[in-house]
Amino acid sequence: VFFFFQAEDGIRDFCLSRGLGDVYKRQPLVVQPIWKDYWKQKRGFFKSLIQFIFNSIKSVFMLLLDFDLLYYTAYIGFVLLGILVHPFFFAFHLTDFLRIEVLKNVVRAVYEPKLQLFLTFCVFILFEYYFTIIGYTFFYDHYQGRCGNLWRCFLTTIDQTFKNGGGVGGYLQDPNQGEPGSPGSYVNIARFFFDNILNIILVLIIINMVAGIIIDKFGSRKDLLHEKEQDILRVCFICGINRDKLERSSDGFFKHIKKDHYMWNYLFYQAYLMKKQSTEYNGTESYVSEKIKKSDISWFPLKRALSVKDEAEEESQKLDLLNSVTSN
């Protein structure tokens, strides 16, 4: 299967999809720091066993933090269940649609404000409980026999709040009121306020608060995605120089990010330093290695490029040219 991907440096050339293989191949790199010193140090049998168990638990915990690993493991598991148990298990694979970047933002818009949504849900339950107390005290006989105790009345109130267009008031029935228009019909003022206040607070205000939180988060995620896309398409990942300046001062933006500052070359260089013995480093390699250990990126050519002249240098050249013209 062939795929086209939008990479950090623009549009990546087509390549064979190796997503599942790449996920499992990178796991040794995740747990490598945990086991790095285990094989070098000499211990007794029991100390070694305890350390082995501790490292194993820590490794499993680190692997469980990798969402891709969990997802593809579940993917394989549901494939086997679909083959061996029932084809309905193949329905899990439809979740691939949720991995589209736009849909990811929709899911994140619901997941990321989880604290706000949880607290809003607590407020909703609190008001449901308050209205249940009022209903249980004054309108227990309006619940059509489903309000024998406070707990059952509470569940009925929650259940019927969204099943009726007017909230729980659409479910409650006054046993003393006749049919509408009949001589025995009347307006229950207490029920009028109870039904409408419950509907306004629970159905209109709090539910719209939830929708507002999700919409606000989705809007911020959308703006962040747009900003990220603009940064990818208009700024060099290595030097941070704007695309417009690169177009004017060099052979073009895409040539710059593909040849002059090809970001993967910097990653390959770090891998090269990791594999090379530190005793064989030259001066430049020792300098860069120390910077990498300190998570210092000052060795990157920030705001500098061979194909782009420095602004101060350009200004100096213009002044020299102006001086030479005026002197003549």
Side-chain angles (χ1 to χ4, degrees), residues 28-48:
L29 297 176
V30 175
V31 300
Q32 181 184 9
I34 300 174
W35 298 92
K36 184 177 181 180
D37 299 326
Y38 176 78
W39 308 107
K40 296 179 181 179
Q41 299 177 0
K42 293 183 179 180
R43 313 177 187 82
F45 174 76
F46 290 104
K47 286 186 177 180
S48 179

Side-chain angles (χ1 to χ4, degrees), residues 59-76:
S59 298
V60 171
F61 177 76
M62 291 296 295
L63 294 177
L64 290 176
L65 296 178
D66 190 334
F67 175 79
D68 286 333
L69 176 65
L70 296 178
Y71 177 78
Y72 283 114
T73 301
Y75 207 91
I76 294 174

Side-chain angles (χ1 to χ4, degrees), residues 23-271:
V23 168
Y24 285 103
K25 285 179 182 177
R26 73 169 180 246
Q27 300 314 312
L29 297 176
V30 175
V31 300
Q32 181 184 9
I34 300 174
W35 298 92
K36 184 177 181 180
D37 299 326
Y38 176 78
W39 308 107
K40 296 179 181 179
Q41 299 177 0
K42 293 183 179 180
R43 313 177 187 82
F45 174 76
F46 290 104
K47 286 186 177 180
S48 179
L49 179 61
I50 293 173
Q51 187 65 39
F52 177 82
I53 295 173
F54 175 77
N55 286 356
S56 299
I57 296 173
K58 191 174 180 180
S59 298
V60 171
F61 177 76
M62 291 296 295
L63 294 177
L64 290 176
L65 296 178
D66 190 334
F67 175 79
D68 286 333
L69 176 65
L70 296 178
Y71 177 78
Y72 283 114
T73 301
Y75 207 91
I76 294 174
F78 278 96
V79 166
L80 297 176
L81 290 172
I83 295 173
L84 301 175
V85 181
H86 198 282
F88 283 168
F89 285 103
F90 288 125
F92 173 81
H93 303 93
L94 295 175
T95 57
D96 261 353
F97 285 105
L98 298 178
R99 297 177 68 82
I100 300 173
E101 193 62 34
V102 176
L103 292 180
K104 280 183 180 180
N105 279 339
V106 176
V107 176
R108 288 168 182 163
V110 177
Y111 173 75
E112 289 185 357
K114 50 185 176 295
L115 179 59
Q116 297 96 312
L117 293 176
F118 173 75
L119 294 177
T120 306
F121 175 75
C122 291
V123 172
F124 172 80
I125 294 297
L126 182 64
F127 275 98
E128 283 279 14
Y129 182 67
Y130 288 156
F131 280 107
T132 298
I133 293 175
I134 297 173
Y136 180 72
T137 305
F138 300 102
F139 310 116
Y140 68 93
D141 55 339
H142 295 201
Y143 276 80
Q144 305 181 38
R146 298 179 61 183
C147 194
N149 53 61
L150 183 62
W151 176 246
R152 188 179 181 189
C153 197
F154 177 62
L155 294 179
T156 303
T157 303
I158 295 177
D159 181 46
Q160 297 298 327
T161 296
F162 300 106
K163 287 185 176 180
N164 297 278
V168 73
Y171 169 76
L172 302 182
Q173 293 183 4
D174 187 349
N176 300 319
Q177 185 176 14
E179 293 294 330
S182 64
S185 65
Y186 63 96
V187 177
N188 190 325
I189 300 300
R191 274 285 309 279
F192 171 81
F193 285 104
F194 176 80
D195 295 350
N196 285 283
I197 293 175
L198 183 147
N199 187 48
I200 291 171
I201 294 178
L202 296 179
V203 180
L204 298 181
I205 295 179
I206 295 183
I207 298 304
N208 281 297
M209 285 172 57
V210 172
I213 292 171
I214 295 174
I215 292 171
D216 182 64
K217 176 57 68 172
F218 179 74
S220 64
R221 291 290 314 177
K222 186 178 179 181
D223 293 340
L224 185 64
L225 178 62
H226 178 73
E227 182 181 345
K228 178 181 176 182
E229 290 175 349
Q230 290 299 309
D231 185 74
I232 291 172
L233 295 175
R234 303 196 63 83
V235 179
C236 174
F237 181 78
I238 299 300
C239 65
I241 297 178
N242 188 275
R243 178 174 183 168
D244 295 335
K245 186 174 182 179
L246 290 170
E247 294 287 358
R248 294 194 306 266
S249 306
S250 63
D251 295 330
F253 177 73
F254 286 104
K255 178 182 180 298
H256 174 80
I257 63 176
K258 289 293 186 181
K259 291 186 178 180
D260 299 343
H261 284 168
Y262 188 53
M263 67 177 185
W264 297 114
N265 286 340
Y266 287 78
L267 179 63
F268 299 152
Y269 185 62
Q270 293 186 50

